[in-house]
Amino acid sequence: MTVEPGVRVGQDSDASVIDRSWVEPEAFAVLFDRHADAVHRYAARRLGAEAAEDVMAETFTTAFQQRFRYNTELPDARPWLFGIATNLIGRHRRAEARRLKAMSRLPAATPGDQAGETVADQVAARVSAQALRRELAGALARLPARHRDVLLLVAWADLGYEEAARALGVPVGTVRSRLHRARRKVREALGGSDPTALREESDSE
């Protein structure tokens, strides 16, 4: 039995919750309880914690106002919610670009930055990870916005290709081609490494 993220066995699907909210508007709060944390994490990674609060709140306000548009044949509302969040993030393109560029210019950590008696290999691993984050931020900043949206919906929101396509309102083939181009550019920028390749989709999905 497949259960959507945030839903326990025996609970109503997101679609059922949305449908019920027409009679019981307060029922929509269930959707917030299930998915607000994930939407906030996604927005925070893209814009920072302060802006993420506003994006999260507006995502669910917009979702409630536009729930008449939701296709209740789709039990999982995550792609819809992340699509709304991504559209809202799109209003902050300049802020996101500034944040990524600032992250790419952060100074490298040194052993002296570590508190306590950290062993040498732990220090080296942490320095390498911070360097990778800087390089990744720079690579993301240079991507076209439409490619960055697809890449981060898959890598950071953990959506599949078809889910990302629903979120963005584009064909799944467009998602695949944009993701391919985005990952190629990230790998080129990071010398062959691709920390965004967190999941691979089967051809049948």
Side-chain angles (χ1 to χ4, degrees):
M1 178 179 178
T2 301
V3 180
E4 63 192 82
V7 181
R8 291 190 290 271
V9 174
Q11 286 185 326
D12 289 341
S13 68
D14 291 341
S16 296
V17 170
I18 293 169
D19 193 47
R20 192 169 78 245
S21 74
W22 289 109
V23 178
E24 306 170 35
E26 64 276 10
F28 199 84
V30 172
L31 221 61
F32 182 90
D33 293 340
R34 288 177 181 174
H35 303 300
D37 286 347
V39 170
H40 184 274
R41 283 194 301 272
Y42 171 68
R45 294 185 77 173
R46 297 195 61 168
L47 298 175
E50 185 175 349
E53 291 288 340
D54 293 337
V55 168
M56 179 188 69
E58 193 170 352
T59 293
F60 285 91
T61 298
T62 301
F64 181 78
Q65 293 170 343
Q66 298 185 357
R67 66 195 190 280
F68 64 90
R69 296 183 177 179
Y70 188 74
N71 180 0
T72 52
E73 293 182 1
L74 301 171
D76 184 2
R78 288 183 315 130
W80 179 56
L81 293 170
F82 278 114
I84 294 171
T86 300
N87 285 336
L88 294 172
I89 289 169
R91 301 178 186 175
H92 301 268
R93 291 292 184 205
R94 291 182 180 178
E96 182 181 35
R98 284 197 301 270
R99 182 170 186 269
L100 289 170
K101 289 175 182 176
M103 290 173 63
S104 72
R105 292 193 294 265
L106 288 175
T110 65
D113 293 330
Q114 310 300 317
E117 296 182 1
T118 310
V119 296
D121 57 346
Q122 291 176 327
V123 172
R126 187 163 182 175
V127 170
S128 296
Q130 289 182 352
L132 181 60
R133 282 196 293 272
R134 290 198 314 275
E135 293 170 1
L136 175 59
L140 292 175
R142 291 189 291 272
L143 289 176
R146 64 187 183 279
H147 292 173
R148 186 163 63 239
D149 285 343
V150 169
L151 179 65
L152 299 184
L153 280 170
V154 173
W156 289 356
D158 199 30
L159 297 188
Y161 291 2
E162 292 185 1
E163 291 172 325
R166 287 205 302 272
L168 297 173
V170 299
V172 68
T174 300
V175 166
R176 290 181 182 276
S177 63
R178 289 180 184 176
L179 186 62
H180 175 75
R181 293 190 185 106
R183 283 182 168 163
R184 187 184 68 232
K185 291 179 180 177
V186 168
R187 283 194 297 269
E188 289 171 354
L190 273 59
S193 173
D194 182 3
T196 68
L198 301 182
R199 61 180 295 172
E200 293 296 333
E201 302 297 327
S202 67
D203 292 337
S204 61
E205 185 166 321

